[in-house]
Amino acid sequence: MNRVRKGDAGLVARQLYYEQLLFWKNPFRAVFTIGFSVIFLLLLAGSVGNSRSSLLGGLREVQYYVPGFAAYGVMSACFNTLAISLVVRRETGVLKRLRLSPLPTWVMVASTFLSSLVVSLLEVIVLLLVGRLAFSVTLPANFLAFVVAIVVGAVCFTAMGIAASTVIPNEEAAGPIVSIVFFVLLFLSGLWYALTPSSVLAKVAGYFPVRPMILATFAPFDRLPGTSPWAWHDIAVMAIWGAAGVVVSVRRFAWEPHRSG
Amino acid sequence: MRPAASSAVVVENLVKRYGGVAAVAGASFEVDAGEVFALLGPNGAGKTTTLEILEGFRRADGGRARVLGYDPANRSTARELRERIGVVLQELAVEPYLTVRQVLSRNASYYPNPRGVDDVLDIIGLAEKADSRVKTLSGGQMRRLDLGLGIVGNPELLFLDEPTTGFDPSARRDAWEVVRALSGGGSTVILTTHYMDEAEALAGRVAVIANGRIVAEGAPRSLGGREVGEATIRFRLPGEGSPAGGAGSAGGAGSAARVTLPAGLEAGAGRLDDGTVEIRTADAVSVLRSLTNWAHDEGVELHGLTVERMTLEDIYLRLTGYGSDGKMEGEA
């Protein structure tokens, strides 16, 4: 590995700036990532948001949808968008060019992660504002637990996003593969409708990282007395998936197009 | 710690295998600091693989490579090495939504002593497109941006992989000027190319690589014995299938003005389809002397008289196109 130098923090900051430029200057990416979660929230909350759910202990559905779509926003920014853009960058040769420059790999990874985190946080703030202003949803009662869930989730799904990019053969396949995996998991994980916690589906989904992300984001909101705002079990599941993502990424990451190799 | 380097690049018995096949099979060459060195060879000969090993992108299976004194495969010095080299490869994209200036500024920040961005824009002739997005560039402009990204770090050593493929003639001349300017500034340049005129115009020394090995190396004008090898003398004789306006009448067989060469010259002469006489000889001076003495004495005009050495392309085709390895090495 290349040693860290004085001034590398500035390099990360500059690289983060250009990553952000890239994100916001690509209108499709920006709209797709940020807009989708807001539209989903508005549609669902606007239709069934005010009905009270016994699964949520009598809370209004919208109180579940706001953290649910905040979780969705983090996952889509860190996993979907990142995995697809990494495959495109690899297949078009952008990564190879980067590899031949002196930019250290860790600076690239750090700035990519921070960029996904910035987008995630923005999305979360937008969703909280929409929830608060349009649907009078209460804000997280335990803000620290909420931030920890978001950050652990961002790390986990960034690692998973990089790992996913290494098994996707080319850019044409990237969108479909990522979307299928992601949306199937979202359905199984009860984003659109709360699952009965004791059901087989909920138990199975609990082994994958998506449901834990939704639950860990939901827990810090003001819920029933006697429930903890810290969903430690879910946070641990995400951490394990994140570690697996790191292992796969380190072992399989490729800088040059798969089609040329 | 920076190792001392007398040569910019040293390659000894470099080997790289893919599967069981050796893409590079014991290549050796050296490039001096400040030199422009061209690696010529057909597709699949091992040029790109050799370059990628030197750039530190691939690891060799055998042999030794030193680039500016560094082992390019050593990860702990990779950053230092890459701060001092520039690489221009084919078909590598640039993020389409950034402007030309943004891309150059960003990449400049990776290097300790970058060239000024405006300076680079002038050199590559993209000053007017500086604030346009990369995705609006034409193919030729994109290649110039490639070149710009290769030189923005102010490299001591620049690798150019077929830098002018797809350029129109004037764009090629411009690119050549850039390479000459860099070389004039003391940078070492290693380029691969398919174009013999490019190698001849730019390189002080060329090496021909075939089947993963260097089969010939030298200055373009002397490569493969070009200076001392055989020359071709061509001319037309009056009445011998001459073009319009020639001496022959429209008549049938054996025109009146037909001239025959003396036997000593005729023995080595061949005829092209248009009647041009062609003599290949290793001793052009003697043959020319007999020919011109004869023509002068007999009052015969030698239309279109030329003397040509083998072109670099002839040499290249001979070195890469035919025969077994052994034969090629024998010739080189």
Side-chain angles (χ1 to χ4, degrees):
Chain A
M1 275 303 287
N2 297 301
R3 275 157 293 168
V4 177
R5 291 189 200 158
K6 241 196 304 181
D8 278 354
L11 198 53
V12 172
R14 255 195 307 272
Q15 191 67 14
L16 171 60
Y17 164 74
Y18 286 108
E19 286 292 321
Q20 283 291 299
L21 265 186
L22 270 170
F23 183 87
W24 295 106
K25 287 200 167 192
N26 180 342
F28 300 106
R29 196 146 62 154
V31 167
F32 201 82
T33 308
I34 301 275
F36 248 47
S37 54
V38 174
I39 289 168
F40 273 139
L41 176 66
L42 289 175
L43 288 176
L44 275 169
S47 54
V48 297
N50 278 326
S51 52
R52 291 182 184 274
S53 166
S54 59
L55 290 175
L56 302 168
L59 284 176
R60 289 186 306 144
E61 299 268 11
V62 69
Q63 190 70 57
Y64 175 73
Y65 286 137
V66 167
F69 282 101
Y72 167 93
V74 173
M75 293 186 282
S76 87
C78 295
F79 180 77
N80 286 29
T81 309
L82 180 60
I84 294 170
S85 90
L86 274 177
V87 172
V88 171
R89 287 184 190 195
R90 183 188 70 216
E91 293 304 313
T92 55
V94 169
L95 284 185
K96 183 169 182 179
R97 191 194 292 281
L98 208 59
R99 179 63 158 177
L100 291 166
S101 83
L103 188 76
T105 305
W106 75 265
V107 173
M108 185 195 89
V109 173
S111 54
T112 305
F113 166 69
L114 289 175
S115 185
S116 299
L117 187 63
V118 167
V119 174
S120 300
L121 292 179
L122 260 170
E123 240 182 307
V124 168
I125 290 167
V126 169
L127 285 166
L128 288 181
L129 282 176
V130 170
R132 181 86 199 110
L133 299 177
F135 303 103
S136 308
V137 169
T138 59
L139 295 181
N142 187 328
F143 219 84
L144 182 63
F146 183 72
V147 171
V148 167
I150 296 290
V151 171
V152 171
V155 172
C156 163
F157 284 94
T158 297
M160 300 275 297
I162 297 172
S165 78
T166 68
V167 297
I168 297 170
N170 59 56
E171 67 262 48
E172 285 86 5
I177 291 178
V178 168
S179 300
I180 286 171
V181 171
F182 186 51
F183 280 95
V184 166
L185 279 174
L186 282 176
F187 265 103
L188 297 182
S189 301
L191 175 63
W192 281 273
Y193 47 89
L195 300 178
T196 311
S198 58
S199 66
V200 174
L201 182 56
K203 289 216 167 84
V204 171
Y207 290 110
F208 292 94
V210 176
R211 182 164 169 78
M213 178 65 191
I214 294 170
L215 295 180
T217 315
F218 177 51
F221 283 79
D222 201 10
R223 301 191 306 162
L224 304 173
T227 55
S228 167
W230 294 93
W232 289 119
H233 179 266
D234 296 309
I235 289 172
V237 171
M238 284 196 283
I240 291 168
W241 277 93
V246 169
V247 170
V248 172
S249 303
V250 168
R251 295 177 75 100
R252 291 191 47 101
F253 194 79
W255 295 90
E256 64 185 320
H258 280 185
R259 56 175 112 252
S260 83
Chain B
M1 45 157 223
R2 171 186 160 179
S6 49
S7 299
V9 169
V10 181
V11 174
E12 285 168 9
N13 290 316
L14 203 65
V15 175
K16 176 70 188 180
R17 291 185 203 89
Y18 293 116
V21 184
V24 181
S28 301
F29 60 90
E30 244 177 81
V31 181
D32 292 334
E35 197 175 15
V36 179
F37 182 84
L39 207 50
L40 300 178
N43 290 331
K47 310 188 288 286
T48 300
T49 302
T50 303
L51 241 54
E52 285 181 338
I53 291 170
L54 298 180
E55 293 153 6
F57 193 76
R58 266 176 232 300
R59 199 173 275 273
D61 295 319
R64 180 170 170 273
R66 286 290 176 275
V67 178
L68 302 175
Y70 296 95
D71 174 359
N74 184 345
R75 302 292 313 149
S76 68
T77 53
R79 187 173 178 186
E80 280 173 58
L81 173 60
R82 285 182 187 143
E83 285 171 347
R84 297 170 60 192
I85 65 173
V87 179
V88 180
L89 295 184
Q90 296 190 84
E91 292 177 358
L92 294 191
V94 174
E95 292 87 344
Y97 291 99
L98 295 181
T99 67
V100 171
R101 183 187 296 282
Q102 284 166 343
V103 169
L104 287 170
S105 307
R106 180 192 61 183
N107 282 39
S109 74
Y110 301 165
Y111 298 87
N113 304 302
R115 210 180 269 274
V117 168
D118 288 313
D119 188 19
V120 174
L121 285 167
D122 279 341
I123 293 173
I124 59 175
L126 282 184
E128 278 162 30
K129 297 290 279 181
D131 297 313
S132 305
R133 288 187 179 191
V134 169
K135 65 176 188 165
T136 67
L137 298 184
S138 70
Q141 289 169 333
M142 190 57 225
R143 300 290 288 138
R144 282 191 263 164
L145 177 56
D146 277 340
L147 195 55
L149 288 169
I151 63 174
V152 73
N154 211 359
E156 286 165 56
L157 169 60
L158 182 65
F159 292 99
L160 298 168
D161 194 9
E162 296 179 19
T164 65
T165 297
F167 278 30
D168 64 40
S170 74
R172 288 182 74 206
R173 301 284 156 161
D174 292 345
W176 290 1
E177 285 314 310
V178 173
V179 174
R180 289 195 182 109
L182 283 172
S183 168
S187 297
T188 310
V189 179
I190 299 183
L191 64 108
T192 68
T193 182
H194 282 139
Y195 300 117
M196 297 306 127
D197 58 337
E198 184 158 289
E200 226 166 350
L202 293 178
R205 221 150 46 83
V206 303
V208 178
I209 186 166
N211 299 319
R213 241 169 266 176
I214 305 293
V215 293
E217 191 185 330
R221 70 179 173 287
S222 64
L223 190 78
R226 194 173 161 206
E227 272 178 327
V228 294
E230 68 183 18
T232 305
I233 299 165
R234 291 195 187 93
F235 55 91
R236 282 194 313 274
L237 293 172
E240 245 186 62
S242 56
S249 65
S255 80
R258 174 153 190 141
V259 182
T260 44
L261 284 171
L265 289 169
E266 186 60 51
R271 297 287 190 283
L272 300 183
D273 287 345
D274 66 351
T276 300
V277 182
E278 190 177 88
I279 302 173
R280 287 174 185 272
T281 174
D283 187 3
V285 174
S286 303
V287 172
L288 270 178
R289 183 175 162 187
S290 331
L291 178 67
T292 49
N293 281 348
W294 166 76
H296 189 256
D297 292 348
E298 301 289 319
V300 176
E301 271 192 73
L302 301 172
H303 296 287
L305 175 65
T306 59
V307 183
E308 277 176 19
R309 291 278 165 201
M310 280 211 282
T311 64
L312 186 57
E313 190 156 329
D314 293 333
I315 299 277
Y316 167 80
L317 288 174
R318 182 195 271 189
L319 287 168
T320 58
Y322 311 104
S324 66
D325 282 0
K327 187 180 161 199
M328 286 193 287
E329 282 185 347
E331 283 183 11

